[in-house]
C-alpha cells in the first residue's frame, strides 16, 4: 500500500492556508500542519467543539400539507415549493445551523538565517504523522507532529542535525487571527508559566452546553535554554524541542487548566509516544491493503497532480488517493468517544466553514460507504448510534411538519439536536433521509451478521421510518401510492427551471423516493423473517410494496427522474438520485429488464451533466459505473477528479476553482473543501474490485484494462466475509474467510476472467474460520 504523501512546498492558499495543511488526527482531535520553516502554524480542532444557537421549538405546521398537495396537483409548483418554509418563518421559527469551531493555532516561530533547500512535507499514513524537513545554512531541520490515539495528546518534536541550532518561540493563538478578526469574535486568554502554555476562549457551544469555554494546555521540553513571557515560551541554543498539547471543550477553564497540567506533568519521549499511537492507528489503517504495483515510489503530490492534469494520471495517484481516503476517515472519527465524520472532518478552518455539517441526502452516506467494505464496521456503528440518538426529535419532526407517525430526518443535521433546523425548500420538502439511512442500518447487520443489533436497533429504526410512510403516502386515481411533495435531491425538473428561471425542486413521485421506500420495506420484511418481529405489519408492508409506482422510462430510453410525466428530466445535475436502485441500492442488477434504462441514465449524466459535476458527485458516478461493471469508465472519472478538484495536499474541493472544465467551475467562488469525495474515492475503488449482493460475491466486477495487476486484502463482503484478491493479466486468486458462521455463497468472477474449469460462477461453502481459495484465469 502506498502510505506516504510527499509535498515539495508548504501550504500556500493565500488568506486560507489551512486548506493546504497536512492533516493528522486521532478521531477526536485533528491537526493541520502548514509547514512553514520560519513560522509553523498547526491548526487544532476538537470533534465536540461546535458553535451555534439553539434552534428553538419547531411549530406544528402539518396543516400545510393538504395545501402543498393541492398546489402540486394544480401545477402551481413554485407556490407549493415554499409553503412549509414560509409558514415556519411566519410562525417565528428561524432554525439555525451550528458549525464546527476551530479551537486554536499552535505557532512555532523560528529563526531562519539563510535560504531553505531540500524542503519536504510528508504525511506518513501508516503512523498518522506529519513531518516537515529542510536544510538551512548547512544544518538539517525536521518537525514532526501526530495526535496520539493512546493519549489524546498532540505531540510535536523539532530537531536539528547539530546541537544548539534551534531558536524558537512557541505560543497559542485564536485560529487565523490576522485574517478573520477572530480575536474580536472569540476573545482569548493566553499566558505562559514556566514550561507551560495556556489558552482559553469561549463561545455559545451547542454541544457541550457548559459555560462555553474551551482551550488548550501545552508543555515544552528541550535541551536548550527556556524562558517564558507574554504568553510565549522562548527556546534558544537547542537541539530539540518537544511539545505536548491537550485540549478541552466545556467545563471551567481553571479546573481544566489544572487537570490538563497534571496530565502533562510527567516527562514524554516522542518516539515512545509515537510507537504507542502507531500500534493502534496502523491496525486500523492497514486493515485493508490495496496496491497496483510492487514499486515503492514516493513521487511527490505535485508531480502526481501534474500528470493527472496532463491526462496521464498514474496508478500511484490512484493508490495514494485510495489510501488517503481511508486515512482521512480513520483520522476524522472512531468507534467511541467522538462524533461521526462530517463534511470537513476534523479540519475546519473557516468562520464558519461552508457546509460543515452532517448532510443526509448523500454526503453523510458517502462518507460511510467504505466503512463496511473497508472493514471498519465499528465506525459505522458510532454514526448509526449518533443518528438513532435523535429518534425523539425525528418523531417531533414527523408530527409537526407532516402530521405523521414515525420519523422524519431533516437532511441537514448538527449535533445539538435532530430537530429540523434548515428551512431551505428542497431540504424541508424531502422525506427520504430516514429511508436512505435505513440502508446503512440494514447493511450493518448484513456485513456483521449481528442479530442482536438487527433486533434491538436496526429493525426498530426501520420500523419508525416505515411508519412515517404508512401515514404520508396516499393512493392516486390509478391505485398507486403517491409521493407528494417529492424531491429528487437537489435537482429541478427542466420545464420547471425554464418556467421560473431558478431552482424549484419540489415535485411529485421522484424515482429515488419510490426506490428508497421499496428498499426499506423489502429489507424490513427480510429482517422480520429472521427475528420474528412485527408480524402484524407484514401484510401492511407487502401491500405498500405492491402499490408503489413502477419505474418509468423516458423517450431517451433512460429511467425517469420523476415518474410524473409533467416533470421533465434534467440531465445537467450533480446528483444521480434516480440511479439509486442500482447504486447505492442493490435492487436492479444486470439480469433486470430495466438495467439498460439505468445505464442510459448514468451515461446521460456523464455526457450531458459533466459541467455540473462536483468532486463527490464524480465519485458517486464512478461507483455507479463500477456497479454496472464498466471499470474503464469508473477509472476515467476518478482520474478526472485528479485533474480538476484536488489540492496539493490531496484534499478534494467541491468544484474546480481554476475554472478549467469540464467539471463544475462556474459561480461558486468559495470552492469549499469537502472530505466526502476523498473518503468516497476509496469506496468507489472497493466497488470496482469486490461487490456483494444477497448471497452473491462478485470478484473483480469492474477492474479496468489499465490495471494489469494488483492486489487487495482485508476487504469485507456481506456475510462478514474477509476477502483477499490478487490478479495479473494471466489470472489470479481470491481467498475468502468467513468470520462468524458457516454459509453458502455464489462467487462470480468479472468479465475478463473465468474460474479454473471455464465457468464465470461457482458455488462455495464457507466454513467459519476456514480459508477458501479460488483460482481464476484469463477468459
Amino acid at each position: 500500500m502506498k502510505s506516504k504523501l510527499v509535498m515539495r512546498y508548504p501550504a500556500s492558499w493565500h488568506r486560507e492556508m489551512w486548506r493546504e495543511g497536512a492533516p493528522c488526527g486521532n478521531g477526536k482531535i485533528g491537526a493541520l500542519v502548514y509547514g512553514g520553516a520560519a513560522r509553523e502554524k498547526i491548526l487544532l480542532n476538537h470533534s465536540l467543539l461546535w458553535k451555534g444557537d439553539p434552534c428553538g421549538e419547531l411549530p406544528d405546521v402539518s396543516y400545510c400539507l393538504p395545501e402543498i398537495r393541492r398546489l402540486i396537483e394544480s401545477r402551481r409548483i413554485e407556490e407549493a415549493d415554499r409553503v412549509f418554509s414560509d409558514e415556519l418563518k411566519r410562525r417565528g421559527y428561524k432554525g439555525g445551523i451550528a458549525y464546527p469551531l476551530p479551537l486554536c493555532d499552535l505557532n512555532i516561530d523560528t529563526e531562519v538565517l539563510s535560504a531553505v533547500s531540500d524542503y519536504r512535507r510528508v504525511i506518513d499514513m501508516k503512523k498518522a504523522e506529519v513531518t516537515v524537513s529542510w536544510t538551512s545554512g548547512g544544518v538539517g531541520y525536521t518537525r514532526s507532529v501526530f495526535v496520539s490515539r493512546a493519549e489524546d495528546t498532540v505531540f510535536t518534536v523539532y530537531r536539528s542535525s547539530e546541537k544548539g541550532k534551534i531558536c524558537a518561540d512557541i505560543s497559542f493563538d485564536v485560529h487565523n487571527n490576522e485574517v478573520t478578526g477572530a480575536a474580536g469574535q472569540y476573545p482569548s486568554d493566553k499566558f505562559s508559566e514556566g514550561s507551560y502554555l495556556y489558552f482559553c476562549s469561549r463561545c455559545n457551544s451547542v454541544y457541550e452546553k457548559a459555560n462555553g469555554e474551551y482551550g488548550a494546555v501545552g508543555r515544552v521540553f528541550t535541551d536548550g535554554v527556556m524562558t517564558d513571557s507574554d504568553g510565549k515560551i522562548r527556546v534558544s541554543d537547542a537541539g530539540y524541542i518537544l511539545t505536548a498539547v491537550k485540549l478541552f471543550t466545556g467545563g471551567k477553564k481553571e479546573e481544566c487548566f489544572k487537570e490538563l497540567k497534571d496530565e502533562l506533568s510527567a516527562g514524554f519521549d516522542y518516539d515512545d509516544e509515537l510507537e504507542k499511537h502507531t500500534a493502534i492507528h496502523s491496525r486500523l489503517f492497514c486493515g485493508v491493503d490495496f496496491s497496483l504495483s510492487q514499486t515503492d515510489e514516493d513521487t511527490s503530490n505535485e508531480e502526481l497532480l501534474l500528470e493527472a492534469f496532463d491526462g496521464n494520471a498514474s496508478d500511484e495517484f490512484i493508490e495514494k488517493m485510495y489510501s488517503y481516503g481511508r486515512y482521512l476517515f480513520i483520522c476524522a472519527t472512531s468507534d467511541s468517544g467522538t462524533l461521526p465524520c462530517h463534511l470537513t472532518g476534523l479540519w475546519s478552518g473557516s468562520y464558519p466553514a461552508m457546509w460543515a455539517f452532517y448532510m443526509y441526502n448523500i454526503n453523510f452516506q458517502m462518507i460511510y460507504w467504505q466503512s463496511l467494505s473497508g472493514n471498519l464496521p465499528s465506525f459505522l456503528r458510532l454514526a448509526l448510534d449518533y443518528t438513532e440518538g435523535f429518534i425523539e426529535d425525528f418523531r417531533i419532526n414527523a408530527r409537526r411538519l407532516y402530521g405523521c407517525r414515525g420519523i422524519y430526518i431533516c437532511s441537514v443535521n448538527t449535533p445539538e439536536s435532530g430537530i429540523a433546523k434548515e428551512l431551505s425548500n428542497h431540504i424541508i420538502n424531502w422525506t427520504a433521509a430516514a429511508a436512505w439511512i435505513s440502508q446503512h442500518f440494514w447493511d450493518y447487520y448484513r456485513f456483521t451478521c449481528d442479530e442482536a443489533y438487527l433486533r434491538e436497533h436496526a429493525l426498530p429504526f426501520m420500523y419508525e421510518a416505515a411508519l412515517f410512510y404508512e401515514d404520508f403516502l396516499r393512493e392516486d386515481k390509478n391505485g398507486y401510492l403517491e409521493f407528494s411533495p417529492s424531491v429528487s435531491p437537489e435537482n429541478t425538473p427542466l420545464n420547471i427551471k425554464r418556467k421560473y428561471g431558478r431552482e424549484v425542486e419540489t415535485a411529485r413521485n421522484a424515482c429515488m423516493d419510490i426506490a428508497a421506500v421499496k428498499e426499506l420495506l423489502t429489507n424490513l420484511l427480510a429482517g422480520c423473517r429472521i427475528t420474528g418481529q412485527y408480524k402484524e405489519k407484514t401484510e401492511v408492508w407487502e401491500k405498500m410494496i405492491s402499490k408503489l409506482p413502477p419505474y418509468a422510462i423516458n423517450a431517451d430510453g433512460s429511467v425517469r427522474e420523476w415518474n410524473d410525466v409533467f416533470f421533465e428530466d434534467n440531465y445537467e445535475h450533480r446528483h444521480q438520485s434516480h440511479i439509486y436502485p442500482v447504486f447505492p441500492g442493490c435492487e436492479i442488477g444486470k439480469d433486470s429488464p430495466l438495467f439498460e434504462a439505468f445505464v442510459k441514465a448514468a451515461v446521460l449524466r456523464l455526457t450531458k451533466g459533466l459541467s455540473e459535476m462536483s468532486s463527490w458527485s464524480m465519485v458517486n458516478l464512478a461507483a455507479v459505473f463500477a456497479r454496472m461493471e464498466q471499470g474503464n469508465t469508473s477509472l476515467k472519472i476518478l482520474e478526472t477528479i485528479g485533474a480538476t478538484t484536488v489540492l496539493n495536499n490531496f484534499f478534494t474541493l467541491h468544484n474546480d476553482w481554476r475554472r478549467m472544465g469540464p467539471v463544475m467551475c462556474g459561480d461558486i467562488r468559495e470552492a469549499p473543501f469537502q472530505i466526502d469525495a476523498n473518503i468516497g474515492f476509496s469506496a468507489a475503488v472497493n466497488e470496482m474490485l469486490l461487490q456483494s449482493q444477497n448471497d452473491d460475491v462478485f470478484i473483480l466486477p469492474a477492474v479496468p484494462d489499465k490495471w494489469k495487476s494488483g492486489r487487495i486484502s482485508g476487504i469485507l463482503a456481506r456475510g462478514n466475509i474477509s476477502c483477499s484478491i490478487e490478479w495479473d493479466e494471466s489470472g489470479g486468486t481470491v481467498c475468502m474467510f468467513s468470520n462468524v458462521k458457516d454459509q453458502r455463497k455464489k462467487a462470480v468472477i468479472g468479465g475478463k476472467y473465468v474460474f479454473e474449469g471455464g465457468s464465470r460462477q461457482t458455488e462455495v461453502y464457507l466454513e467459519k474460520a476456514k480459508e477458501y481459495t479460488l483460482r481464476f484465469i484469463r477468459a
Side-chain angles (χ1 to χ4, degrees):
M1 177 184 288
K2 296 294 188 297
S3 61
K4 288 187 178 180
L5 299 184
V6 179
M7 289 156 279
R8 299 188 63 174
Y9 60 87
S12 304
W13 191 297
H14 181 55
R15 297 178 66 86
E16 288 191 284
M17 302 275 274
W18 67 271
R19 285 171 169 261
E20 293 184 333
C24 57
N26 71 346
K28 183 184 295 184
I29 298 167
L32 273 175
V33 180
Y34 293 17
R39 161 159 278 201
E40 176 66 277
K41 274 188 174 289
I42 303 171
L43 165 60
L44 302 179
N45 276 291
H46 195 291
S47 66
L48 304 186
L49 183 59
W50 290 69
K51 174 180 168 56
D53 296 311
C55 59
E57 184 176 355
L58 180 68
D60 189 334
V61 294
S62 59
Y63 50 80
C64 292
L65 184 58
E67 174 67 3
I68 294 171
R69 287 173 165 167
R70 185 187 69 79
L71 290 169
I72 292 172
E73 184 71 29
S74 302
R75 307 309 194 191
R76 294 161 64 183
I77 306 304
E78 193 274 340
E79 294 176 62
D81 187 56
R82 53 186 168 83
V83 168
F84 269 146
S85 181
D86 285 353
E87 184 64 7
L88 286 167
K89 292 172 185 176
R90 190 190 69 80
R91 295 281 300 274
Y93 186 66
K94 297 180 181 179
I97 301 172
Y99 63 89
L101 182 65
L103 194 141
C104 70
D105 287 340
L106 173 64
N107 299 322
I108 304 174
D109 294 299
T110 192
E111 297 177 8
V112 176
L113 301 177
S114 59
V116 167
S117 62
D118 305 316
Y119 180 90
R120 295 292 185 274
R121 190 165 48 129
V122 178
I123 304 172
D124 187 330
M125 292 183 280
K126 284 186 179 179
K127 297 179 180 179
E129 180 190 34
V130 176
T131 297
V132 180
S133 62
W134 71 93
T135 299
S136 179
V139 179
Y141 298 89
T142 63
R143 275 198 302 262
S144 298
V145 182
F146 73 96
V147 186
S148 174
R149 278 193 113 92
E151 301 290 345
D152 271 350
T153 303
V154 183
F155 289 101
T156 74
V157 66
Y158 186 5
R159 293 170 170 142
S160 63
S161 61
E162 295 181 21
K163 290 185 177 180
K165 293 295 184 178
I166 299 176
C167 296
D169 290 340
I170 303 159
S171 62
F172 289 124
D173 204 352
V174 173
H175 169 62
N176 243 14
N177 180 24
E178 71 278 9
V179 173
T180 65
Q185 299 180 53
Y186 310 104
S188 63
D189 300 324
K190 51 187 177 181
F191 61 94
S192 56
E193 183 181 74
S195 61
Y196 290 90
L197 290 167
Y198 300 87
F199 171 88
C200 179
S201 187
R202 58 196 59 83
C203 73
N204 49 329
S205 173
V206 299
Y207 187 77
E208 289 292 345
K209 299 183 179 68
N211 61 3
E213 292 185 322
Y214 61 91
V217 178
R219 189 177 179 195
V220 177
F221 305 84
T222 183
D223 63 352
V225 178
M226 180 164 47
T227 57
D228 73 281
S229 64
D230 299 324
K232 298 180 180 180
I233 291 179
R234 167 157 290 188
V235 176
S236 57
D237 303 320
Y240 80 90
I241 303 172
L242 168 65
T243 65
V245 176
K246 285 185 173 287
L247 311 181
F248 69 90
T249 62
K252 296 185 180 299
K253 67 178 181 181
E254 294 83 3
E255 297 172 359
C256 294
F257 281 168
K258 182 180 184 306
E259 179 182 348
L260 297 186
K261 180 182 179 181
D262 290 343
E263 292 179 14
L264 294 171
S265 61
F268 296 97
D269 180 272
Y270 181 90
D271 295 327
D272 288 347
E273 297 299 330
L274 178 62
E275 184 177 356
K276 288 191 293 185
H277 157 75
T278 302
I280 303 170
H281 170 83
S282 64
R283 281 198 300 270
L284 298 169
F285 178 73
C286 298
V288 172
D289 188 354
F290 166 65
S291 63
L292 294 172
S293 65
Q294 301 302 314
T295 63
D296 293 323
E297 290 179 292
D298 275 317
T299 309
S300 71
N301 287 12
E302 292 86 355
E303 293 172 274
L304 292 171
L305 288 172
L306 283 172
E307 292 171 356
F309 195 74
D310 278 345
N312 300 307
S314 65
D315 287 349
E316 186 182 356
F317 170 75
I318 297 295
E319 290 173 289
K320 288 189 173 182
M321 283 293 289
Y322 179 93
S323 297
Y324 197 45
R326 184 173 180 84
Y327 169 80
L328 291 175
F329 184 50
I330 291 167
C331 288
T333 187
S334 189
D335 55 7
S336 62
T338 188
L339 292 175
C341 179
H342 56 77
L343 274 166
T344 57
L346 283 178
W347 302 286
S348 294
S350 296
Y351 294 94
M354 189 171 179
W355 302 333
F357 42 67
Y358 301 102
M359 187 66 170
Y360 280 80
N361 76 0
I362 187 173
N363 313 90
F364 186 72
Q365 288 89 336
M366 176 178 286
I367 286 169
Y368 280 88
W369 280 345
Q370 70 153 302
S371 58
L372 294 174
S373 62
N375 213 348
L376 293 167
S378 61
F379 282 46
L380 176 60
R381 175 65 189 268
L382 178 131
L384 298 180
D385 288 349
Y386 169 87
T387 304
E388 191 179 359
F390 293 126
I391 201 157
E392 288 300 329
D393 288 346
F394 296 158
R395 287 175 178 142
I396 291 171
N397 293 340
R399 288 197 305 272
R400 296 186 182 179
L401 290 176
Y402 286 93
C404 297
R405 297 169 297 163
I407 59 175
Y408 166 89
I409 299 179
C410 176
S411 57
V412 174
N413 171 266
T414 49
E416 76 278 14
S417 77
I419 294 296
K421 54 179 71 74
E422 169 56 47
L423 304 187
S424 297
N425 302 339
H426 71 283
I427 299 295
I428 211 78
N429 293 329
W430 186 60
T431 65
W436 190 347
I437 201 66
S438 290
Q439 180 193 87
H440 289 255
F441 278 85
W442 173 249
D443 269 348
Y444 179 84
Y445 159 70
R446 292 285 286 129
F447 275 83
T448 65
C449 301
D450 185 344
E451 286 195 21
Y453 182 83
L454 175 67
R455 184 180 306 105
E456 298 165 15
H457 297 278
L459 290 181
F461 184 91
M462 295 161 69
Y463 175 90
E464 294 281 346
L467 202 59
F468 174 87
Y469 288 106
E470 289 182 31
D471 291 352
F472 174 70
L473 297 177
R474 61 178 187 175
E475 287 190 21
D476 64 16
K477 60 185 179 182
N478 297 315
Y480 289 118
L481 295 176
E482 179 183 72
F483 294 79
S484 179
S486 185
V487 173
S488 188
E490 298 166 358
N491 201 359
T492 297
L494 189 58
N495 58 317
I496 301 301
K497 193 169 187 177
R498 286 170 176 161
K499 180 175 181 178
Y500 298 111
R502 62 181 182 84
E503 304 296 321
V504 180
E505 291 95 338
T506 297
R508 179 165 58 185
N509 281 357
C511 179
M512 182 191 179
D513 279 347
I514 299 166
V517 171
K518 186 175 183 181
E519 175 188 67
L520 166 66
L521 298 175
T522 300
N523 291 341
L524 257 174
L525 289 167
C528 292
R529 286 193 291 270
I530 295 167
T531 67
Q533 292 169 272
Y534 308 127
K535 292 180 179 178
E536 74 282 3
K537 288 291 187 180
T538 299
E539 186 175 342
V540 173
W541 295 334
E542 288 175 342
K543 185 176 181 181
M544 288 175 68
I545 292 174
S546 72
K547 289 181 172 289
L548 289 173
Y551 304 128
I553 312 299
N554 67 19
D556 292 324
S558 166
V559 63
R560 291 186 55 86
E561 192 156 354
W562 299 272
N563 270 35
D564 187 329
V565 296
F566 172 75
F567 299 100
E568 296 178 17
D569 282 299
N570 180 12
Y571 301 136
E572 297 181 12
H573 200 262
R574 61 195 176 277
H575 282 261
Q576 301 127 50
S577 308
H578 55 314
I579 311 177
Y580 185 101
V582 174
F583 180 88
C586 300
E587 178 191 351
I588 302 294
K590 290 189 74 172
D591 57 347
S592 169
L594 292 173
F595 182 74
E596 290 304 322
F598 283 93
V599 173
K600 183 68 173 181
V603 170
L604 286 167
R605 271 300 196 266
L606 182 60
T607 56
K608 295 191 175 185
L610 192 58
S611 63
E612 297 300 316
M613 289 287 171
S614 63
S615 59
W616 62 259
S617 63
M618 295 283 281
V619 165
N620 185 29
L621 197 57
V624 164
F625 278 107
R627 189 64 66 85
M628 293 173 173
E629 301 184 13
Q630 296 188 29
N632 290 335
T633 303
S634 294
L635 178 58
K636 185 62 179 176
I637 293 169
L638 295 179
E639 291 174 340
T640 302
I641 292 170
T644 54
T645 59
V646 179
L647 291 172
N648 85 306
N649 62 351
F650 276 13
F651 272 171
T652 51
L653 299 186
H654 174 269
N655 48 284
D656 182 0
W657 74 103
R658 294 167 298 203
R659 292 172 167 81
M660 290 294 293
V663 303
M664 186 188 294
C665 57
D667 297 327
I668 301 181
R669 178 170 52 87
E670 296 86 354
F673 158 54
Q674 288 188 225
I675 204 173
D676 47 2
N678 277 122
I679 299 175
F681 193 106
S682 308
V685 172
N686 287 350
E687 283 291 325
M688 295 164 74
L689 300 179
L690 183 78
Q691 296 170 22
S692 58
Q693 296 146 36
N694 302 317
D695 288 322
D696 301 338
V697 179
F698 298 86
I699 301 150
L700 301 181
V703 63
D705 295 335
K706 187 176 179 180
W707 294 357
K708 304 295 184 184
S709 63
R711 67 183 299 272
I712 189 164
S713 62
I715 191 170
L716 201 65
R718 287 174 174 85
N720 207 331
I721 300 169
S722 297
C723 298
S724 297
I725 308 168
E726 293 192 39
W727 77 92
D728 59 28
E729 283 291 87
S730 64
T733 61
V734 54
C735 298
M736 291 184 281
F737 187 91
S738 181
N739 293 296
V740 295
K741 65 178 182 179
D742 297 349
Q743 53 189 309
R744 190 175 299 280
K745 295 286 182 180
K746 181 172 73 175
V748 182
I749 191 68
K752 285 184 176 183
Y753 303 101
V754 293
F755 290 118
E756 288 183 336
S759 174
R760 293 196 184 276
Q761 60 186 51
T762 185
E763 294 285 333
V764 298
Y765 180 72
L766 302 174
E767 295 182 62
K768 176 182 175 181
K770 288 187 177 181
E771 191 174 273
Y772 189 96
T773 300
L774 284 168
R775 301 187 182 278
F776 52 89
I777 57 175
R778 185 75 185 199

